[in-house]
């Protein structure tokens, strides 16, 4: 998320979770975590604390993210293709996989214009 905020031109600092939890505890009197309380405590720490690490755009990280996204997309497409192929094979009523036999008779091949 930080890289995407940086790419959008936002100023981003790294707020340690322990520091945000400590501020949340002192601010509310308990350490219950909700999204609103968490966001408020992180903002308070980011504004009031000096020396937090300022994040910068990392081109290598973005390239890895793009490669990973593309790999996931290709994997999904491959699974879809294999599943479609299986459905085509199983939809053929006389196919050996659909009938459970170990092979096709020569007439099965001749009916489809294939050599035996």
């Amino acid at each position: 998320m930080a890289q995407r905020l940086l790419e959008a031109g936002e100023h981003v600092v790294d707020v340690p979770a322990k520091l945000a939890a400590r501020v949340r505890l002192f601010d509310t009197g308990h350490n219950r975590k909700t999204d609103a309380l968490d966001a408020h405590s992180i903002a308070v720490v980011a504004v009031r604390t000096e020396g937090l690490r300022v994040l910068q755009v990392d081109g290598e990280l973005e390239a890895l993210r793009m490669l990973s996204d593309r790999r996931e997309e290709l994997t999904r497409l491959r699974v879809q293709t294999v599943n479609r192929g299986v459905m085509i094979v199983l939809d053929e009523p006389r196919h050996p996989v659909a009938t459970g036999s170990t092979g096709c008779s020569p007439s099965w091949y001749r009916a489809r214009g294939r050599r035996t």
Side-chain angles (χ1 to χ4, degrees):
M1 183 199 281
Q3 289 297 319
R4 294 201 170 126
L5 286 171
L6 286 168
E7 290 168 3
E10 298 293 331
H11 178 76
V12 181
V13 293
D14 185 27
V15 176
K18 285 186 177 184
L19 189 55
R22 191 176 310 143
V23 169
R24 185 173 56 246
L25 176 64
F26 291 139
D27 189 36
T28 63
H30 54 77
N31 202 18
R32 292 190 184 124
K33 184 176 177 181
T34 65
D35 288 343
L37 288 175
D38 203 30
H40 181 262
S41 62
I42 291 170
V44 167
V45 171
V47 170
R48 295 185 181 169
T49 306
E50 296 291 326
L52 292 176
R53 187 170 62 104
V54 177
L55 302 180
Q56 298 176 354
V57 176
D58 186 355
E60 290 177 0
L61 182 62
E62 183 59 28
L64 285 174
R65 181 180 294 117
M66 289 172 62
L67 287 171
S68 176
D69 290 346
R70 180 63 178 150
R71 183 176 188 273
E72 286 178 22
E73 180 184 347
L74 289 172
T75 302
R76 275 194 308 274
L77 288 173
R78 181 183 179 278
V79 168
Q80 283 179 347
T81 303
V82 168
N83 288 342
R84 286 180 185 149
V86 167
M87 290 307 299
I88 289 170
V89 167
L90 292 179
D91 281 345
E92 176 61 50
R94 295 185 50 174
H95 192 277
V97 174
T99 61
S101 65
T102 58
C104 295
S105 65
S107 62
W108 185 86
Y109 287 106
R110 282 193 299 273
R112 282 148 191 82
R114 300 177 187 162
R115 291 185 179 166
T116 55

